[in-house]
Amino acid sequence: MTPADLTCTVLGAVRRAVEEGALGGAVAVPDRVKVERPRPGGSGDYATNAALRLAREARLPAREVAEVLSAELTRHPGIAGVEITGPGFLNITLARGSRDALVRDTLTNILTSGSGYGHGRALSGQVIELRHRAEVRAAVTADAVRRLLEAQGALVRIDAYGDEAAGPAPTPTPAAGPTSTVAYEPSPVPAGATAHELHRRFGTDATRWALLRAAAHDRPRLDDGLLVQKESNPFFLVRYAHARSRALARAATRLGITAGYEDDVDAAALLAALGDHPAVLASAARLRAPDRVARHLETTADAFLGFQHTVLPVGDEKPSAAHRSRLALAEAAGTVLAGGLSLLGISAPEYL
């Protein structure tokens, strides 16, 4: 059961509750409901606020609506259980078979799509013009936003204005048709540093990471900490995790182990990060916020590095289905990290 399948299942539960009169006669079935990962402190595989949305229209307490929907959802064979938390959130735990199928589908999608995993057509047909000051941070951010928008199907033009030195401006994408214009102007870098100065001090990749990792209203971190080769440095963490995934693949080849999801893998945090990647890219494009991608890559890298030690056999241990499954997950993590870095215009070296 994929997130899209679960969304349909929740809508079906709402529809049955309405048809049976359990929510009163004036409730309309919504066009869609929100299904997402549980928030910190939550339980289960997914959560929905459908009960909270329906409560006012039904003129019932949200927890009472949640109890009705919970009873409907637990009838589905793909759902192992539903817990009601807070004012009326529904936390849904998938049945083992559904969870395995979701993992297998996610990994297959990642390994098949490669760096295109998470790209979509949500903005297909839209023509967007990004206008920004001729300043290094604005130029780098506009370029990353362009990449994100194009990955969701939009056609993008970039227009720089002003006289400040910002390095070469990105080449506009030819487009025709109705255009929406967005003035994208994040806070400039301290002391008005130019692209040449920053690239000479930190290198292109580290400079881009620093300028894109900070939210538009925050000041980017531009100091020697960018060059520290430790996992405490987020820039190093993400690229190191990618390099480790590739090193594991090379070692697996020498051991004759091929990747293939065959067995349950105890890596909930990493699986969640990989599964959330498409939604993160879509949200980052919609909100013109590449910092969301950078933070998600950090989450993915951290989860992978906590898992990597289980991928290959240790000592006299013989390769098994579990190792093949873990290797598939490691390769998928590397693919997601490389694809995300590419959208930020940052390289993903295989050796680090």
Side-chain angles (χ1 to χ4, degrees):
M1 182 182 293
T2 67
D5 294 334
L6 185 56
T7 298
C8 292
T9 300
V10 174
L11 275 175
V14 172
R15 186 174 295 105
R16 289 193 301 272
V18 170
E19 292 174 351
E20 294 169 4
L23 300 179
V27 178
V29 179
D31 294 331
R32 61 179 183 173
V33 294
K34 186 176 183 180
V35 173
E36 59 185 356
R37 297 288 181 182
R39 297 180 182 180
S43 61
D45 298 304
Y46 291 96
T48 178
N49 64 350
L52 297 172
R53 287 189 55 192
L54 295 169
R56 178 176 296 180
E57 192 176 352
R59 297 182 179 180
L60 294 170
R63 287 191 68 90
E64 188 173 329
V65 175
E67 289 170 1
V68 171
L69 297 182
S70 174
E72 294 289 345
L73 286 170
T74 51
R75 297 181 188 178
H76 195 285
I79 294 176
V82 180
E83 180 183 359
I84 302 172
T85 60
F89 290 101
L90 292 165
N91 289 61
I92 302 167
T93 299
L94 301 179
R96 170 66 182 273
S98 295
R99 191 181 302 113
D100 285 348
L102 176 59
V103 172
R104 187 173 288 104
D105 289 347
T106 298
L107 295 182
T108 299
N109 192 3
I110 293 172
L111 299 176
T112 301
S113 302
S115 60
Y117 172 64
H119 295 202
R121 307 300 300 170
L123 301 179
S124 180
Q126 294 191 31
V127 182
I128 301 170
E129 181 178 36
L130 298 173
R131 303 193 72 243
H132 67 86
R133 292 188 306 272
E135 182 269 334
V136 58
R137 188 183 184 194
V140 167
T141 305
D143 177 60
V145 170
R146 172 188 63 80
R147 294 167 185 260
L148 290 168
L149 291 170
E150 290 179 344
Q152 299 301 317
L155 294 173
V156 184
R157 296 192 294 229
I158 294 182
D159 177 31
Y161 58 89
D163 300 322
E164 298 178 52
T171 303
T173 301
T179 302
S180 61
T181 302
V182 179
Y184 201 88
E185 300 184 0
S187 303
V189 298
T194 66
H196 177 71
E197 293 167 345
L198 292 173
H199 293 179
R200 183 178 58 187
R201 180 177 176 185
F202 302 113
T204 300
D205 286 332
T207 296
R208 288 186 70 95
W209 175 269
L211 297 180
L212 297 172
R213 170 60 178 80
H217 56 276
D218 291 333
R219 176 174 292 186
R221 174 189 173 185
L222 291 163
D223 56 40
D224 290 340
L226 275 172
L227 305 179
V228 172
Q229 303 289 293
K230 294 183 179 179
E231 293 178 30
S232 58
N233 173 12
F235 171 61
F236 175 79
L237 173 81
V238 172
R239 300 213 305 171
Y240 173 65
H242 171 264
R244 283 296 304 148
S245 74
R246 297 312 185 211
L248 288 171
R250 292 191 296 269
T253 298
R254 291 194 295 271
L255 293 172
I257 304 173
T258 56
Y261 188 78
E262 303 174 27
D263 197 8
D264 187 29
V265 175
D266 183 16
L270 181 55
L271 287 168
L274 298 179
D276 289 345
H277 188 67
V280 170
L281 296 187
S283 173
R286 187 175 65 255
L287 299 174
R288 323 296 195 246
D291 58 289
R292 290 182 170 233
V293 177
R295 289 196 299 273
H296 180 68
L297 292 179
E298 291 175 36
T299 298
T300 305
D302 193 55
F304 169 72
L305 290 175
F307 161 80
Q308 60 158 334
H309 306 290
T310 69
V311 173
L312 299 179
V314 178
D316 295 332
E317 187 180 8
K318 294 183 178 180
S320 66
H323 293 114
R324 289 190 289 275
S325 296
R326 294 170 194 155
L327 180 60
L329 189 53
E331 291 188 1
T335 298
V336 167
L337 291 170
L341 286 170
S342 176
L343 285 173
L344 298 180
I346 298 171
S347 67
E350 295 202 3
Y351 298 88
L352 198 62

